[in-house]
Amino acid sequence: MTGVETVTVRPEDGAGRLDRWFKRHYPGLSHGRLEKLLRTGQIRVDGKRAHARDPIAPGQAIRVPPLPETPAAPAKPSAPRARPQDVALLRETVLYRDDWAIAVNKPAGLAVQGGTNTDRHVDALLDGLRFESKERPRLVHRLDKDTSGVLLIARHAAAAAFFTRAFRDKTTRKIYWAITVGLPEIRQGRIDLALARAVAGDRTHPSAAGALRGARHADPWRRQIWRQRRAIGRRCRRARAASACPLAGDPASARRHAVGHRAVAAAYAADVGVLRVRRRRGGPVRRAGTAGMKRVYREAKARPVEGGWGVALDGRPMRTPAKHELIVPSAALAEAIAAEWDAQQDDVRPATMPLTRLAATAIDRTRAQRDQVIAETTKYAGTDLVCYRADHPPELVARQQAEWQPLIDWAMLRYDARLAVTSGIVPQPQSPAALKAFAAAVAAQDDLRLTALHAMTAACGSLVIALALLERHIDAAVAFAVSQLDETFQIEAWGEDAEAAARRQALKEDIAAAARFVQLIDAA
């Protein structure tokens, strides 16, 4: 390439990192050379300087300077040629195909990826599933060799990024069927035991699971790795618990708030029961911020200070974990925060003080990372919960239409943002005008309201619901109900276990606390 050119990221490229985009389109450009071009400003995204790790999205313009000719790629060892009969067999297993995905019924005995002495696998046969497409299909998840079932394959980079994120964030539900000896009395629950493989025709001894659990640490090297992992986990829990305010974008917090597009899973709720299998944990699991400290103050009072209202503990100004003085705009909010501190007993437990945590987050985190918080919150508009509907059963379809469509209509009138609605899990791109309108609505909030909006959006899984709650178009109870519509439908069919009930209660409390936080701000 001899001149500067501007390349627009194509929709089929999907969202991803800038360095990976260059690796795909300019394979002859080394990473070191790419970093130098970025440092010197020769490569720009939308006219601005960028970093290799920065995310890019379809529609963005990338300035590419003159680059050396791509050298010939070194010869790679020839892979075993796929047998025509294997390709034909895989094509016969295709259950579904569209522009984004291919679903195949993987038979037992066929590995998904290669390995030692494994030349016959799905990855080697993917070229046979191009179906006139220019791109080679991509694997986004795996099934064991001896497991048969539906294997989802992405047809291009954008689909791969979407499905990979859905599996990683656990917004996609995987259901496993098993043949059991006898009928379990409990239709839904959790198996907290190690898995044992028994030879056909043999009966597994009742103590087999316990023996396997003990043998897990028999090897000294594995025992050392296990201890290191537990030590790292303890340090992470202590670090999270030491702060009274949650980190914006913290993966541990995001998993607790993750609410995905459950339309397809909900569609089969009346026909399928789910057994959740989890690994045995070495210690109790606690929400971040539950660890406390001893109460050493006698009273907490709100008082006027320069710039607003603060809280004093025995006459001393309260400070955030980052040592900033806690100042809020209204007396009502300061008094409510003081009441949280007065309600503490011998131990101060930050988890019971949501208003304090939101105020401290706004001061310590949002103020310093405002652009990041705006971007994270706005991102929900691209795949908003209320835009993804089920196509079965009719009762769920009707309920989603009755509860979600009025919110979409309200957003259209309020922000002049028209959202596209679809059925299933295939992403429906939203118009740039709508995304820009939502971005402007989010950016218009001050630091305190932006913090509350971020918390509402993460808990609801929907920016539309969060904005309606922020502007008091709906209340906290309605926001929780419409955001949990799919879960409620499943609970009505199958009942609710203790773990799901605790998670729903935590989300309900988060939504209510954020809504009350905004109401107290507006009381100024």
Side-chain angles (χ1 to χ4, degrees), residues 6 16 57 125 444 481 502:
T6 300
L125 304 174

Side-chain angles (χ1 to χ4, degrees), residues 27-65:
L29 181 64
S30 68
H31 188 78
R33 176 65 175 164
L34 172 64
E35 290 283 4
K36 183 175 181 180
L37 293 173
L38 288 167
R39 282 196 307 271
T40 56
Q42 298 182 62
I43 293 178
R44 293 175 178 262
V45 178
D46 289 339
K48 300 179 182 178
R49 287 178 176 266
H51 298 281
R53 64 180 180 276
D54 285 352
I56 58 173
Q60 289 188 292
I62 301 176
R63 179 188 186 275
V64 182

Side-chain angles (χ1 to χ4, degrees), residues 44 50 58 206 221 264 294 314-315 331 364 370 411 421 471 503:
R44 293 175 178 262
W221 176 244
V264 171
K294 292 295 182 182
D314 293 340
D364 288 350
R370 181 175 174 84
V421 177
E471 300 201 14
R503 188 186 71 86

Side-chain angles (χ1 to χ4, degrees), residues 451-462:
T451 303
L453 179 61
H454 182 274
M456 294 173 183
T457 305
C460 295
S462 166

Side-chain angles (χ1 to χ4, degrees), residues 149-492:
V150 178
L151 182 68
L152 189 65
I153 300 171
R155 299 201 66 185
H156 47 73
F162 175 82
F163 291 130
T164 300
R165 184 169 61 252
F167 281 109
R168 183 186 64 239
D169 296 342
K170 294 184 171 53
T171 58
T172 295
R173 175 171 296 175
K174 294 188 290 185
I175 299 174
Y176 290 87
W177 290 82
I179 299 176
T180 63
V181 178
L183 179 65
E185 296 180 1
I186 302 175
R187 296 295 303 274
Q188 180 176 346
R190 180 175 62 213
I191 301 175
D192 191 7
L193 293 171
L195 298 178
R197 176 178 293 181
V199 180
D202 291 346
R203 175 176 293 180
T204 304
H205 194 272
S207 62
L212 283 175
R213 198 159 45 243
R216 180 175 56 187
H217 309 298
D219 182 79
W221 176 244
R222 295 183 67 187
R223 184 166 62 248
Q224 179 182 357
I225 295 175
W226 180 255
R227 287 174 178 172
Q228 290 174 351
R229 288 177 177 172
R230 290 190 63 185
I232 293 172
R234 284 194 298 269
R235 288 197 295 271
C236 291
R237 287 194 296 270
R238 283 197 293 268
R240 290 196 301 268
S243 175
C245 54
L247 284 171
D250 178 23
S253 179
R255 281 193 297 270
R256 181 170 61 86
H257 293 304
V259 181
H261 309 310
R262 308 166 187 85
V264 171
Y268 299 98
D271 304 317
V272 179
V274 179
L275 285 177
R276 299 179 180 176
V277 183
R278 70 173 178 87
R279 181 172 62 81
R280 186 178 181 87
R281 297 183 181 272
V285 179
R286 301 180 297 181
R287 290 177 63 188
T290 57
M293 60 182 179
K294 292 295 182 182
R295 173 172 178 165
V296 295
Y297 59 92
R298 291 187 298 274
E299 63 176 0
K301 288 186 176 181
R303 64 178 185 180
V305 297
E306 183 180 357
W309 289 80
V311 178
L313 301 178
D314 293 340
R316 298 180 178 179
M318 180 187 297
R319 297 189 178 276
T320 66
K323 307 305 181 184
H324 298 112
E325 185 175 356
L326 193 147
I327 300 175
V328 294
S330 72
L333 179 55
E335 290 170 357
I337 293 174
E340 287 184 339
W341 286 81
D342 259 338
Q344 302 301 305
Q345 302 300 320
D346 294 337
D347 292 330
V348 177
R349 303 187 66 83
T352 63
M353 298 187 290
L355 301 179
T356 303
R357 295 170 63 190
L358 286 169
T361 300
I363 295 170
D364 288 350
R365 305 292 183 183
T366 305
R367 185 178 299 171
Q369 305 173 11
R370 181 175 174 84
D371 291 342
Q372 178 184 347
V373 177
I374 291 173
E376 289 179 358
T377 307
T378 305
K379 185 168 60 176
Y380 279 82
T383 55
D384 201 283
L385 172 68
V386 298
C387 296
Y388 288 79
R389 311 289 178 82
D391 52 13
H392 181 81
E395 295 83 358
L396 179 59
V397 174
R399 190 178 301 184
Q400 290 176 342
Q401 176 68 20
E403 299 291 343
W404 289 352
Q405 191 59 42
L407 293 173
I408 294 179
D409 296 339
W410 170 84
M412 171 62 189
L413 295 175
R414 177 66 181 83
Y415 303 109
D416 193 22
R418 184 182 298 277
L419 290 173
V421 177
T422 186
S423 298
I425 61 173
V426 176
Q428 172 66 50
Q430 302 295 345
S431 67
L435 297 179
K436 184 177 180 180
F438 281 115
V442 174
Q445 310 302 322
D446 58 37
D447 291 342
L448 291 169
R449 288 181 176 82
L450 177 58
T451 303
L453 179 61
H454 182 274
M456 294 173 183
T457 305
C460 295
S462 166
L463 180 58
V464 172
I465 297 175
L467 285 170
L469 178 58
L470 181 74
E471 300 201 14
R472 302 190 186 184
H473 179 69
I474 58 176
D475 58 23
V478 173
F480 172 76
V482 296
S483 67
Q484 292 288 304
L485 190 149
D486 289 346
E487 288 80 356
T488 302
F489 184 84
Q490 295 187 43
I491 290 170
E492 291 172 357

